[in-house]
Amino acid sequence: MKQLSGHVALVTGAASGIGAAIVRRFQDEGARVAGMDVSSGFASDLNLSADLRSTEALENALKQMVSSIGAPTILVHAAAASFPGGVLDTHPSTFLDLYDVNVVGAARLLQLCAPQMTERGGSVVVLSSINAGFATPSLAAYAATKAALNNLVQTAALELAPRNIRINAIAPASIDTPALRASFARSGDAEDARVRNIGRHPLGRLGTAEEVADLALFLASDRAQWITGSVYAIDGGAGVTRR
């Protein structure tokens, strides 16, 4: 039997990269998947358009999901906003905007989806980052939001446990996605940036979105029924050395 047979999943950030890989992996394992993004043209059982900054937009999207494919038993928050810059050269409004998408967006989703999961229980997987645990001058606002997200996951794990809802986070290092390749291009020498980035990972390569999707599948599935409140690194060893 497929691992997610009978499950209904909501995946944010579904249009590309890790989110798109998770949609495909969950579908392959038997789940009905509603993908959510602000972009269009992606493939899921139900494509939803909503801005994570808007509670009203999320409420409307969830109503559409429930009426079309059912209430979620799995939630994956893979969407994220990012901005290059340090603490002193990132405008305060950018800090607030990234926090609204990455952290408050997760809280909005939990507040809307948890009541839908209460009868059966459920699993939540949040995409964090290895940068949550390190000084990251080039991505100060992004890293700060991911550190906050890790704490949110741990707190929510305690609050949701009596409802039989588990929540865990995945903290990737550099994953070969369109967003990462775009960041290499902005450096002026994309190939040099790629080589230097790979050098920070002891296993000698970038990760793939499919590898992250495999971990998300495990955490979302019934195989992880006794796991909650944890943050799992998937980083090619980068967290060991941070070179």
Side-chain angles (χ1 to χ4, degrees):
M1 181 179 292
K2 294 185 176 182
Q3 295 182 60
L4 300 184
S5 293
H7 282 280
V8 179
L10 172 60
V11 179
T12 70
S16 66
I18 292 172
I22 291 172
V23 169
R24 293 191 298 269
R25 193 74 177 92
F26 282 18
Q27 287 177 315
D28 287 345
E29 287 297 331
R32 290 172 292 169
V33 182
M36 180 184 293
D37 210 296
V38 292
S39 301
S40 59
F42 57 96
S44 68
D45 295 296
L46 176 67
N47 290 356
L48 301 170
S49 178
D51 191 322
L52 289 165
R53 303 173 185 87
S54 170
T55 300
E56 181 181 3
L58 293 176
E59 286 175 341
N60 291 335
L62 189 60
K63 288 177 183 176
Q64 184 181 350
M65 176 182 178
V66 172
S67 65
S68 297
I69 65 171
T73 59
I74 297 169
L75 167 64
V76 180
H77 178 43
S82 184
F83 185 84
V87 174
L88 299 184
D89 55 359
T90 301
H91 196 277
S93 63
T94 300
F95 275 92
L96 290 171
D97 188 54
L98 265 60
Y99 193 85
D100 198 11
V101 173
N102 297 351
V103 185
V104 184
R108 291 186 181 100
L109 288 166
L110 288 171
Q111 290 169 5
L112 292 171
C113 291
Q116 301 283 345
M117 295 177 169
T118 299
E119 182 176 342
R120 175 176 172 175
S123 178
V124 180
V125 180
V126 173
L127 268 295
S128 180
S129 170
I130 187 179
N131 292 315
F134 297 95
T136 313
S138 60
L139 291 168
Y142 174 80
T145 65
K146 294 300 186 176
L149 197 56
N150 286 355
N151 186 271
L152 181 72
V153 165
Q154 293 171 334
T155 301
L158 293 180
E159 294 186 13
L160 295 174
R163 302 185 184 206
N164 195 30
I165 299 172
R166 301 180 296 102
I167 178 169
N168 295 285
I170 295 173
S174 295
I175 305 300
D176 192 5
T177 63
L180 182 65
R181 292 192 289 272
S183 74
F184 293 159
R186 287 194 297 269
S187 72
D189 187 336
E191 183 56 29
D192 178 69
R194 180 183 177 88
V195 169
R196 285 187 289 106
N197 190 297
I198 288 173
R200 299 172 63 189
H201 302 78
L203 289 183
R205 65 173 176 86
L206 302 176
T208 70
E210 289 72 24
E211 288 169 323
V212 181
D214 282 340
L215 180 54
L217 171 63
F218 169 71
L219 291 173
S221 75
D222 292 341
R223 292 183 297 156
Q225 288 186 68
W226 214 48
I227 300 175
T228 194
S230 296
V231 179
Y232 285 84
I234 179 166
D235 63 6
V240 177
T241 179
R242 194 58 176 179
R243 61 191 180 193

